[in-house]
Amino acid sequence: MTDRPVALVTGAARRLGREISLTLAAQGWAVAVHYATSGPQAVTTASDCSVRSAAHTPLTEGLDALQLAATFEADLADEASTRALVPQVAAHFGRLDAVINSASVFEHDDAASFGHATMARHWQTNTAAPILLAKALEIHLRERTALADATPEPGQACVVNLLDQKLWNPNPDFLSYTLSKAALEAATTLLAQALAPTLRVVGVAPGLTLPSPYMNSPEHFESLHRLSPLGRSSTPADVADAVAFALRNKALTGTTLLVDGGQHLMKFERDFSHMPQA
């Protein structure tokens, strides 16, 4: 069993999930790096996390790098695979203290192209899986404390759900994605009520943070990134810092941190990917 807190980060092989994993590792967390299809990138992320976690807190005698970071494959669109993930992580590390739901399906549709299949793909990964993982973490924590004949410290464990500023600044693009994130935002409140006091549940809503495949060029992304009251939207480091803050602030639950440079305060008629270069 590792002697440091363990965080499971979904979609941790690339992009925001990787940045969050590296930030937590640098603060002394052990990291369970989840992936679905990006196996080689997940191995790289886990290796980099091990280096950062060891630099923060050297391993005690008898432990190895696998107690600092390890990879876990799961298809979050599959219920059985999702339900198995937390027990696998807990069995490997001996404990689990946080889940960061970063993995996300982001496919374009609108009212004209909407259909059950597209909605189901977004719902399964973006909404249902985070709910299952949150409940699985709560079950693990109750079982762990029962075995130790201890009482869990209120607010110690946490689930962080990655949302989107567009929930506060809606537009009709990416309809299924937006609906799935709106449902996850509501679930953040409901789970905070249902799973207290064993764990906290917090949302983090980035603005435009990384280029999407739907953008024309790096210049297009940069011009849109500047569209905010602060003159810049969120960076991966900003989002990762907000996640780390949510994990350590024991009074924070049932609410969402908007990390977007104020983009939610501006009215955008279309999604960023459908806007011209500013």
Side-chain angles (χ1 to χ4, degrees):
M1 179 174 177
T2 185
D3 57 354
R4 62 192 72 199
V6 178
L8 164 62
V9 183
T10 68
R14 303 184 298 114
R15 294 173 66 84
L16 266 181
R18 171 178 163 82
E19 185 72 23
I20 292 166
S21 299
L22 294 175
T23 295
L24 296 182
Q27 296 181 12
W29 287 75
V31 182
V33 176
H34 160 263
Y35 71 98
T37 59
S38 303
Q41 295 95 325
V43 170
T44 299
T45 296
S47 177
D48 293 343
C49 284
S50 292
V51 171
R52 293 196 180 196
S53 188
H56 179 276
T57 310
L59 279 167
T60 56
E61 187 175 354
L63 295 178
D64 58 31
L66 288 177
Q67 292 297 321
L68 299 181
T71 61
F72 297 86
E73 180 182 6
D75 178 4
L76 298 182
D78 180 81
E79 182 174 344
S81 182
T82 303
R83 288 186 181 277
L85 183 56
V86 164
Q88 289 170 358
V89 173
H92 177 86
F93 289 102
R95 63 185 292 174
L96 181 62
D97 304 274
V99 173
I100 296 87
N101 289 302
S102 179
S104 185
V105 173
F106 181 67
E107 299 175 358
H108 182 264
D109 71 341
D110 54 21
S113 59
F114 176 86
H116 282 205
T118 304
M119 183 67 235
R121 284 196 299 274
H122 286 82
W123 172 267
Q124 289 161 351
T125 297
N126 298 2
T127 312
I131 294 171
L132 292 174
L133 294 175
K135 180 58 181 176
L137 175 61
E138 190 249 358
I139 292 171
H140 161 72
L141 290 166
R142 286 194 286 106
E143 291 176 346
R144 194 173 94 201
T145 52
L147 286 173
D149 194 23
T151 301
E153 180 180 349
Q156 183 72 29
C158 187
V159 172
V160 179
N161 294 324
L162 270 290
L163 301 171
D164 195 309
Q165 66 82 31
K166 72 183 297 176
L167 300 182
W168 289 264
N169 182 9
N171 61 71
D173 296 318
F174 294 90
L175 178 59
S176 291
Y177 166 81
T178 304
L179 289 172
S180 70
K181 289 295 185 177
L184 183 59
E185 193 272 331
T188 297
T189 301
L190 301 176
L191 290 170
Q193 295 170 323
L195 305 182
T198 304
L199 57 82
R200 300 179 293 108
V201 187
V202 181
V204 170
L208 180 63
T209 305
L210 291 167
S212 81
Y214 300 95
M215 291 182 178
N216 298 326
S217 66
E219 293 75 22
H220 186 204
F221 167 78
E222 291 297 337
S223 71
L224 296 173
H225 196 265
R226 291 192 291 269
L227 292 178
S228 77
L230 296 183
R232 81 182 213 6
S233 184
S234 45
T235 66
D238 294 329
V239 178
D241 284 345
V243 171
F245 169 74
L247 293 182
R248 69 174 178 266
N249 190 309
K250 297 177 184 177
L252 199 64
T253 194
T255 191
T256 296
L257 305 173
L258 278 85
V259 186
D260 66 347
Q263 283 181 330
H264 68 284
L265 302 173
M266 302 174 69
K267 179 59 181 174
F268 298 132
E269 299 295 335
R270 303 297 305 273
D271 185 80
F272 290 115
S273 62
H274 289 262
M275 292 167 59
Q277 185 166 327

